[in-house]
Amino acid sequence: MDAFAPSRRQVLKSSAAAMAVGAIGSLGALYSRQAEAATDPSRIAPVPSRYGPLAPVADLSTGLPLLQLPRGFSYRSFAWSGDRMADGRPCPDRHDGMAVVAARRVPHRPHGRGHASHELVLIRNHERGAGTSPIQAPGMYDTGTFAGGQPGGGTTTLRYRYDGGRHGGGWDSAESSLGGTMVNCAGGPTPWGTWLSCEEIKSNAVSSTGRKHGYVFEVDPRSERTTGRPLIGLGRFSHEAVAIDPRTGIVYLTEDDRNKSGLYRFIPNDRFGRPGSLEHGGRLQAARVRGKRNADLTTASIGNEFQLEWVDIPDPDLDSIVAPNGFPDIGAGDTLSGPFAQAWSEGGLRMSRGEGIWYSYGKMFIVDTSTGVDAQGRKGRGNGTVWVLDLFTQRLRALFVSNHQLAAHNPDNITVNVRGGVVLCEDPDAAPAGSPDEYGPGTRLLGLTRAGESFYLCKNNAELTSSQIADAGKQVAEGDYRDSEFCGACWDPAGRTLFVNMQSPGITFAITGPWERGPL
């Protein structure tokens, strides 16, 4: 199977060089337009989408109207929680982070009929804690008991065939790949075609088999090659996501621990970039703002800019500690992760809740899901920010700041396609009672225009009755799932299909449509 990285390079080479320049060059105009908007408090709503208004669209797989999308868009669902997978096991629930990691060309059908196609391999996280039904997979980390149950997290590997037809293609299979982990939230693809799955848990506890949790794991697109070995050098903390600079091989990591979250990078000893190379160790570092110890990034304004430098973390596997007296904006007895405590002692910065991170054209797009203040004036409980880190200059700048939940409410995962189009997944309760958007309650997928304004791309429309579930042949519970978060948004290498998960009841979607009509 061809690795994803060569496929991606091929796509980039075949794209016009101006595309990359345009994606980067547009940021200047974007900052300027957003700075103007920031001076006008009335500008709290998103802009109308060039793709058009949203309306319920029937799933091509089940016929159910699970999503609201613009006219001309379609989608297929796959690998619902409880579906029987290719390995005979039921599909786990709580779908989360995901990426396309590999692609290969599939031969023409016999006698030359039909479209030539490509098979894409996606690896998907399952954000499951301790329970009684662990994922059984080729790569197993912890088979003991932890936090009163068996570690229930892990990953599944999906295959999707793109045939060039009107609706993109169709799903082929799913299977387990990693098990015995805890709360696998997000992660990130590697340039060499694997997936890094992150445990979003901060704990000093040790399982009955002597295992700790809070690590990153590498998952191979060939599930049987997944080892289940933790990448201890990348730190033990409440990981959210990772992204790799393909030029240097440096791994950037976010931490999701309210108001005590660092921004990290790992400089590997082995720069060859291949499966298993990160196991050879390296240096974990944390970001510090030059000239300002313990800089506070829990609030932000559009255009805020900081020059970053990096400090070494001597012990990436250090236990968490109780926060020192006077540590701001947290509760009594709260703990700091071992890596964050070491970074803070050296003047490291803090974010509110570092979540999604994605590499694109020499920049890291980084989401802090709760930057800002709430109605009670509490820091780190706002609507969120998208930061951009220029990897050449190491300058961090606030690209997008939401000043109202209608514009964006707690963006989480982020993805950027080959054309430079930015898509954000929102956390739950994007339109709570009392202030719904024009499409009613439900979480959203948001896009960003080249001018830095948000627009609605998709809305959760999943209300399932028992008869609908039975007719579709699914095993999920009846219920209103419209407040379930979108997560794991990612594109195929050519930017033709957007894949995304709905965490509950646990569904994966492949969305296709006339992307050329708008900024994505």
Side-chain angles (χ1 to χ4, degrees):
M1 180 173 292
D2 297 331
F4 171 62
S7 298
R8 186 173 188 274
R9 287 196 294 269
Q10 186 177 7
V11 170
L12 294 180
K13 286 180 181 179
S14 64
S15 302
M19 182 183 295
V21 174
I24 298 173
S26 65
L27 295 182
L30 189 152
Y31 293 138
S32 176
R33 287 279 299 277
Q34 283 206 326
E36 293 174 5
T39 64
D40 181 1
S42 67
R43 296 198 58 173
I44 60 175
V47 298
S49 169
R50 284 169 52 190
Y51 295 111
L54 306 182
V57 175
D59 174 18
L60 294 174
S61 297
T62 65
L64 298 173
L66 303 170
L67 303 178
Q68 294 188 48
L69 286 165
R71 183 177 180 182
F73 283 77
S74 61
Y75 64 96
R76 293 183 185 275
S77 70
F78 182 66
W80 291 49
S81 298
D83 283 359
R84 190 65 55 183
M85 298 191 294
D87 56 13
R89 302 183 179 102
C91 181
D93 60 355
R94 296 193 60 79
H95 303 12
D96 211 292
M98 181 173 66
V100 176
V101 299
R104 71 180 181 93
R105 186 177 179 83
V106 178
H108 285 280
R109 294 172 183 172
H111 311 297
R113 293 194 299 270
H115 297 283
S117 61
H118 290 76
E119 182 184 70
L120 305 178
V121 179
L122 300 91
I123 301 179
R124 178 184 64 189
N125 278 0
H126 294 272
E127 192 183 21
R128 306 169 84 228
T132 59
S133 57
I135 296 172
Q136 299 298 324
M140 294 296 296
Y141 170 59
D142 190 353
T143 57
T145 57
F146 182 86
Q150 296 174 283
T155 65
T156 49
T157 299
L158 316 178
R159 286 173 172 78
Y160 180 86
R161 183 169 295 200
Y162 179 82
D163 60 12
R166 177 185 175 188
H167 298 300
W171 294 101
D172 275 354
S173 65
E175 63 187 18
S176 301
S177 42
L178 174 70
T181 54
M182 288 285 291
V183 196
N184 297 67
C185 190
T190 69
W192 52 89
T194 60
W195 168 251
L196 298 179
S197 182
C198 296
E199 291 186 305
E200 188 189 11
I201 182 171
K202 180 182 68 175
S203 174
N204 294 339
V206 179
S207 77
S208 61
T209 56
R211 304 283 191 173
K212 297 178 182 179
H213 288 269
Y215 296 116
V216 178
F217 298 81
E218 186 169 19
V219 184
D220 195 278
R222 296 184 178 178
S223 300
E224 69 275 9
R225 295 183 178 179
T226 299
T227 66
R229 291 192 293 266
L231 299 171
I232 296 174
L234 274 64
R236 179 162 56 92
F237 53 86
S238 185
H239 286 275
E240 178 69 26
V242 302
I244 298 178
D245 177 358
R247 182 179 64 89
T248 63
I250 296 175
V251 183
Y252 290 78
L253 310 99
T254 57
E255 182 175 20
D256 186 359
D257 195 6
R258 191 182 297 276
N259 292 347
K260 44 192 186 300
S261 299
L263 176 64
Y264 304 91
R265 72 179 187 182
F266 176 76
I267 303 175
N269 292 331
D270 184 344
R271 301 288 188 94
F272 285 101
R274 55 196 173 192
S277 60
L278 298 179
E279 294 184 34
H280 299 158
R283 282 190 297 155
L284 183 66
Q285 298 182 319
R288 178 174 65 189
V289 172
R290 182 175 297 171
K292 187 173 183 180
R293 287 183 60 86
N294 300 138
D296 185 354
L297 274 61
T298 61
T299 61
S301 298
I302 294 163
N304 281 169
E305 190 167 330
F306 303 95
Q307 180 66 52
L308 299 189
E309 56 190 21
W310 299 87
V311 297
D312 286 343
I313 304 299
D315 187 355
D317 201 34
L318 186 69
D319 279 356
S320 301
I321 66 168
V322 176
N325 291 335
F327 192 92
D329 309 309
I330 64 172
D334 277 0
T335 60
L336 313 179
S337 71
F340 180 82
Q342 294 171 80
W344 189 254
S345 70
E346 294 296 324
L349 61 79
R350 70 166 179 150
M351 292 181 161
S352 176
R353 291 177 54 203
E355 297 233 37
I357 183 170
W358 199 270
Y359 170 84
S360 179
Y361 300 118
K363 299 182 186 296
M364 289 291 175
F365 289 73
I366 304 165
V367 177
D368 187 328
T369 193
S370 53
T371 309
V373 297
D374 64 7
Q376 289 75 47
R378 296 178 299 175
K379 279 187 173 184
R381 296 178 183 272
N383 291 304
T385 293
V386 178
W387 300 90
V388 175
L389 174 63
D390 187 307
L391 297 175
F392 292 93
T393 65
Q394 291 296 313
R395 294 193 71 81
L396 182 72
R397 193 167 188 179
L399 170 72
F400 170 80
V401 179
S402 175
N403 61 359
H404 194 278
Q405 62 186 8
L406 289 177
H409 177 80
N410 298 142
D412 188 334
N413 293 168
I414 186 171
T415 188
V416 185
N417 67 15
V418 70
R419 295 177 292 275
V422 179
V423 173
L424 301 169
C425 299
E426 284 188 319
D427 268 350
D429 303 319
S435 58
D437 62 45
E438 60 188 294
Y439 302 109
T443 51
R444 302 169 296 218
L445 284 178
L446 302 174
L448 293 184
T449 69
R450 291 294 189 267
E453 297 161 314
S454 63
F455 64 90
Y456 299 164
L457 174 64
C458 175
K459 196 164 179 71
N460 186 336
N461 197 55
E463 290 185 276
L464 301 175
T465 66
S466 57
S467 59
Q468 287 176 319
I469 294 167
D471 289 344
K474 300 303 178 183
Q475 310 299 317
V476 300
E478 181 180 45
D480 183 350
Y481 294 99
R482 288 177 296 173
D483 66 348
S484 175
E485 67 182 279
F486 284 113
C487 38
C490 58
W491 296 86
D492 74 283
R496 295 173 294 196
T497 303
L498 175 66
F499 300 97
V500 69
N501 296 318
M502 185 184 291
Q503 187 163 91
S504 295
I507 311 173
T508 296
F509 302 97
I511 303 172
T512 56
W515 302 111
E516 68 280 358
R517 291 200 323 224
L520 301 179

